[in-house]
């Protein structure tokens, strides 16, 4: 597929070329996802020349700038986020909140870098491909704005599995409930849950209305209600029709990646007292008939997916078992006896790895291969 011509100012990298390894700028290196990315870069293929670590804040409040972090066995100083940080960078990976990406991604592009962005700032832009490499790697090459986006950490495990099933069976409807880890809210989310767990540990709380909320008090952190000893049926901000922004994001991102803008997708996002690892209960309807055995075969051969499905022996995915691993794990595959086109299944994935850092690393490697090709 021929890459689209970049817009003015959206160069595709200036330092890389045949025989040269590209320079990578990593924005958000000091965050939770940044820590995972540094690990991935350290154990992955040695394809990069300079790896430039950049804090996710700009100006005097940058904070983490000036500290050192280890990547590929060497200590590297974290730079402040400013225009000079992108000079000579071929690829820039952004692991930052939406508002930071919205401000600084165009700066990186204008400096000549191809940007891989994990935030929601550009995902639904029609001129920005939304990529899960196992499903639509070809889309990386068509980037009119010089940006490639990755979907959110809830969409990623869903699409890694459902994309493979869709290719074989033709997806016609999705009903999803997510059970989301607090690390999706960053280090503040993790700190809030740990504080709540400390407050309720060794007590008899959870037996009377409101007793957990009264004890937790102001320690809810970024969440609307206590997560410890609880589940919270809300993630994101209010959206139209009673939906949350997290739920509409899963719907729209799934449609864009699969190339099905009219696909019916219904989502309920739920926060659970888990540090890392998102889970999803999926009810999928297909255009063709499906059996659990056929779905097992498809998923077992899908890149980036592992099937773990023997409930009688206690084998099924749980976030506590898959945290720190790269694949999406699928289990509880079953078909209702009264509908031959429906499959129910359960998915788990580490939201900091495949849900963010790993997907970005995979996209960046595709871009690097393109920039250094003869």
């Amino acid at each position: 597929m021929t890459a689209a011509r970049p817009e003015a100012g959206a160069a595709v990298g200036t330092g890389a070329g045949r025989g040269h390894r590209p320079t990578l700028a990593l924005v958000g290196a000091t965050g939770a996802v940044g820590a995972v990315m540094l690990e991935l870069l350290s154990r992955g293929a040695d394809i990069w020349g300079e790896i430039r670590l950049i804090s996710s804040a700009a100006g005097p409040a940058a904070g983490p700038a000036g500290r050192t972090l280890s990547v590929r066995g060497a200590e590297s100083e974290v730079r402040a986020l400013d225009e000079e940080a992108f000079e000579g960078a071929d690829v820039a990976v952004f692991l930052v909140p939406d508002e930071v990406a919205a401000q600084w991604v165009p700066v990186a592009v204008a400096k000549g870098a191809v940007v891989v962005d994990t935030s929601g700032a550009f995902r639904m832009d029609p001129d920005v491909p939304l990529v899960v490499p196992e499903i639509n790697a070809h889309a990386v090459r068509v980037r009119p704005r010089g940006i490639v986006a990755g979907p959110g950490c809830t969409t990623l495990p869903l699409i890694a599995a459902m994309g493979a099933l869709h290719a074989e069976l033709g997806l016609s409807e999705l009903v999803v409930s997510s059970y989301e880890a607090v690390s999706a809210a960053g280090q503040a989310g993790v700190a809030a849950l740990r504080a709540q767990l400390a407050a309720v540990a060794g007590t008899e709380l959870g037996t009377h209305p409101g007793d957990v909320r009264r004890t937790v008090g102001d320690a809810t952190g970024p969440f609307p209600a206590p997560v410890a000893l609880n589940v919270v049926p809300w993630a994101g901000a209010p959206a139209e029709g009673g939906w949350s922004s997290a739920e509409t994001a899963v719907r729209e991102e799934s449609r864009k990646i699969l190339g099905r803008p009219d696909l019916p997708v219904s989502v309920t996002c739920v926060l659970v007292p888990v540090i890392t690892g998102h889970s999803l209960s999926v009810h999928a309807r297909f255009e063709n008939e499906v059996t659990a055995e056929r779905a097992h075969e498809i998923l077992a051969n899908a890149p980036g997916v592992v099937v773990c499905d023997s409930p009688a022996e206690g084998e099924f995915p749980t976030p506590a078992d898959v945290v720190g691993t790269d694949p999406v794990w699928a289990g509880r595959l079953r078909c209702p006896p009264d509908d031959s086109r429906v499959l129910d299944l359960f998915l788990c994935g580490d939201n900091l790895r495949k849900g963010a850092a790993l997907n970005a690393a995979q996209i960046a490697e595709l871009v690097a291969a393109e920039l250094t090709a003869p």
Side-chain angles (χ1 to χ4, degrees), residues 33 44 76 92 101 108 110 145 153 161 165 174-175 183 206 209 222-223 236 243 256 265 277 294 299 304 321 329 364:
V33 179
S76 180
R145 296 191 60 184
C153 57
L165 293 167
L174 270 177
V175 180
S183 55
F223 310 121
W243 291 72
K256 183 174 181 178
V265 181
R294 176 64 177 139
L299 292 174
D321 294 319
W329 296 76

Side-chain angles (χ1 to χ4, degrees), residues 120-173:
F122 301 95
R123 286 175 188 153
M124 300 316 299
D125 187 318
D127 288 329
V128 174
L130 187 60
V131 175
V132 177
E134 293 88 346
I135 305 302
N136 63 340
H138 62 278
V140 167
R141 296 184 63 86
V142 184
R143 44 178 192 272
R145 296 191 60 184
I147 306 167
V148 182
C153 57
T154 307
T155 304
L156 265 160
L158 174 67
I159 293 302
M162 300 314 301
L165 293 167
H166 172 60
E168 297 290 335
L169 302 168
L171 192 61
S172 63
E173 183 181 11

Side-chain angles (χ1 to χ4, degrees), residues 231-258:
V231 296
V232 182
W234 185 262
E240 187 176 353
W243 291 72
S244 77
S245 59
E247 292 160 348
T248 58
V250 173
R251 182 178 66 221
E252 298 307 321
E253 292 166 14
S254 299
R255 289 170 166 176
K256 183 174 181 178
I257 296 166
L258 297 176

Side-chain angles (χ1 to χ4, degrees), residues 317-367:
T318 74
D321 294 319
V322 311
V323 62
T325 67
D326 290 344
V328 172
W329 296 76
R332 297 300 318 281
L333 276 66
R334 59 207 188 278
C335 299
D338 52 355
D339 197 329
S340 62
R341 288 182 170 81
V342 167
L343 174 72
D344 292 294
L345 70 160
F346 192 76
L347 302 171
C348 276
D350 186 316
N351 54 294
L352 301 181
R353 297 183 78 84
K354 183 53 182 173
L358 177 58
N359 198 71
Q362 290 172 313
I363 295 172
E365 289 174 4
L366 291 173
V367 175

Side-chain angles (χ1 to χ4, degrees), residues 188-212:
V190 174
L193 177 57
R194 293 200 185 281
Q196 292 175 28
L197 291 173
V200 302
T203 72
E204 298 296 324
L205 292 170
T207 57
H208 295 91
D211 59 357
V212 173

